[in-house]
Amino acid sequence: MGPSHALSGAAGWLTGSLALEHYAHFHQSPIQLAVGTAMCAGGALLPDMDLSGRVTTDQGGATVAHTFGVISLFVAECVEKLSLGIYDLTRTRRDPRRDNGRRTFTHTLPFTAGVGVGVFELCLHYGKFAVLSVLFLTFAMALRGMFEKWAHRAGWLIVTLVALAATLGAYERLPAGRGYPVLGLAIGAGGLVHILGDMLTSHGCPLFWPLPVGRRMWRCVGLPDSFSVKVGGRVEVYLLRTTFWLASALAGAALLARPVMHRFNIRV
């Protein structure tokens, strides 16, 4: 569901920004909108780092695990083992034994909040270096997710170079002298959108962890089989992705209308 997650993150940030502009009069420049959208789209892929593949052959794994080739696949392998370890340490006797960490720790609200707060603090206190690092990683993940077919053909090196160029260009155009802690909010929002998306499937996510529910620590919350979204099915690939694209396009057009009219001195 990598492309769907990335698109849902972009749609979530743009529609949320439109709501803030309309109801709270919170305006963002086009470059700020672009950065926030890419950050949220990349953050919406981050929880899937718990699905590793074959590192040495660059096969298998989640979409986001292929962002930087075998390097990110190795990181995903480590994340999956860590997630499985946390699962084994905290599970109850009613939780089944598992041999992988898929949809465990990185698909929880504490992980999502922790990443958001961590990025918030990094960008607030460590300035330009932290901002550049976060922008680069999430831009690369967003490219891998939102333009999956192109990224697969181009390869991880091209994706890395494009993300690096976009990062440098974005930072040069953002107002100086700021740490941009709002980037933590964008990543946290992306992770939350990811969890909501996975809850549309029958497997679901461990929404209430670390609180036990029904004597189980890792009870997943999802939809019944008859109503759930099938991964790779028509509803996900055609309906959901089209909806996210349309929502992103319409919200983006509405947000950019004012700056464009102002630039060309158009008055309504």
Side-chain angles (χ1 to χ4, degrees), residues 101-126:
R102 177 69 175 135
R103 289 201 189 182
T104 54
F105 178 62
T106 60
H107 285 74
T108 64
L109 293 178
F111 173 82
T112 299
V115 170
V117 172
V119 172
F120 181 97
E121 292 294 329
L122 279 174
C123 294
L124 179 64
H125 297 293
Y126 293 96

Side-chain angles (χ1 to χ4, degrees), residues 31-32 34-39 42 68 119 123 128-143 162-164 166-172 174 180 183 186-187:
I31 188 63
Q32 289 172 326
V35 168
T37 301
M39 291 287 296
F68 301 108
V119 172
C123 294
K128 187 173 185 176
F129 177 77
V131 171
L132 285 174
S133 300
V134 174
L135 283 177
F136 169 66
L137 291 174
T138 51
F139 273 5
M141 290 189 291
L143 286 171
V162 172
L164 181 61
T167 300
L168 295 175
Y171 194 87
E172 287 296 324
L174 289 171
Y180 292 97
L183 298 183
I187 286 187

Side-chain angles (χ1 to χ4, degrees), residues 2 13 21 25 28 31 45 55 67 80 85 113 120 137 152 158 173-174 177 184 206 210 217 239 255 263:
W13 188 260
E21 181 174 284
H25 304 291
Q28 300 176 69
I31 188 63
L45 285 167
V55 176
T67 302
E80 182 178 0
F120 181 97
L137 291 174
H152 179 73
I158 298 299
R173 288 167 176 76
L174 289 171
M217 188 69 74
L239 179 60
L255 287 163
R263 180 173 182 176

Side-chain angles (χ1 to χ4, degrees), residues 1 48 50-51 87 95-105 107-108 194-207 216 218-231:
M1 291 181 66
D48 275 345
D50 64 358
L51 179 59
Y87 178 89
D95 290 305
R97 292 188 176 275
R98 301 187 56 165
D99 57 4
N100 64 76
R102 177 69 175 135
R103 289 201 189 182
T104 54
F105 178 62
H107 285 74
T108 64
H194 182 111
I195 290 175
L196 294 174
D198 278 350
M199 288 173 62
L200 296 177
T201 66
S202 59
H203 188 284
C205 284
L207 184 64
R216 286 183 59 182
W218 293 93
R219 182 178 294 278
C220 289
V221 179
L223 293 179
D225 287 339
S226 56
F227 297 101
S228 63
V229 173
K230 303 299 187 294
V231 177

